[in-house]
Amino acid sequence: TRRSSDLTDLSQFEATGKLNLRLRTNYPGKLRIGFLTGSLSTAYDAYVVVSNTNADGYGFVNDGQWHNVSIPIIAIKASGAPSFGNTTTNAKFDLTKVTNPFVINDVYDATGNTTIKGDTTKIYVDNIHWTK
């Protein structure tokens, strides 16, 4: 069982790594995909907003079919920021302290999906893994 306080060192993936998964949904909006480093006062959100038309080249299309999604860790890092309530003074991107190695969500302010708030379309995820 993984606890939120468990930290995993995934620093070997920073330079050339990718976060990979298979995704199937008709969800009408974009999604945020990534991970969390640190914990509590050092938490850092490392997410990238993924286009639902594969406009970004990551592979996600919301057509109800299974798609391979592959996102470079460097792209996720570039979109990162300190978690809510934290500052750049105490919260930094740190792959030696990954708390949640996979997160998928829709934070409407980040994705621009404000018109679909409360949508309950199912999102199926499979084969989540990191590669170098």
Side-chain angles (χ1 to χ4, degrees):
T1 302
R2 185 167 177 81
R3 297 175 308 222
S4 62
S5 60
D6 290 345
L7 301 176
T8 303
D9 183 349
L10 296 174
S11 59
Q12 69 271 22
F13 295 94
E14 187 165 354
T16 60
K18 294 183 177 184
L19 174 59
N20 307 285
L21 61 138
R22 290 188 39 80
L23 190 58
R24 178 173 69 98
T25 188
N26 287 317
Y27 185 74
K30 298 175 184 176
L31 294 170
R32 279 192 341 160
I33 297 175
F35 51 91
L36 181 78
T37 71
S39 57
L40 299 175
S41 65
T42 64
Y44 191 88
D45 292 326
Y47 307 122
V48 65
V49 175
V50 179
S51 165
N52 59 7
T53 63
N54 194 30
D56 48 31
Y58 299 139
F60 172 47
V61 179
N62 65 341
D63 61 3
Q65 302 299 311
W66 282 105
H67 292 277
N68 292 318
V69 177
S70 185
I71 309 166
I73 300 303
I74 200 82
I76 298 171
K77 178 182 179 180
S79 298
S83 295
F84 180 77
N86 289 333
T87 66
T88 55
T89 303
N90 61 335
K92 308 251 187 259
F93 183 86
D94 186 353
L95 280 180
T96 66
K97 297 176 181 165
V98 176
T99 315
N100 299 50
F102 175 73
V103 177
I104 186 169
N105 61 31
D106 184 354
V107 175
Y108 306 119
D109 291 341
T111 60
N113 295 334
T114 56
T115 61
I116 61 171
K117 282 185 180 179
D119 186 281
T120 59
T121 303
K122 292 181 179 173
I123 299 169
Y124 298 93
V125 180
D126 191 24
N127 198 25
I128 304 163
H129 62 283
W130 289 47
T131 56
K132 292 185 197 176

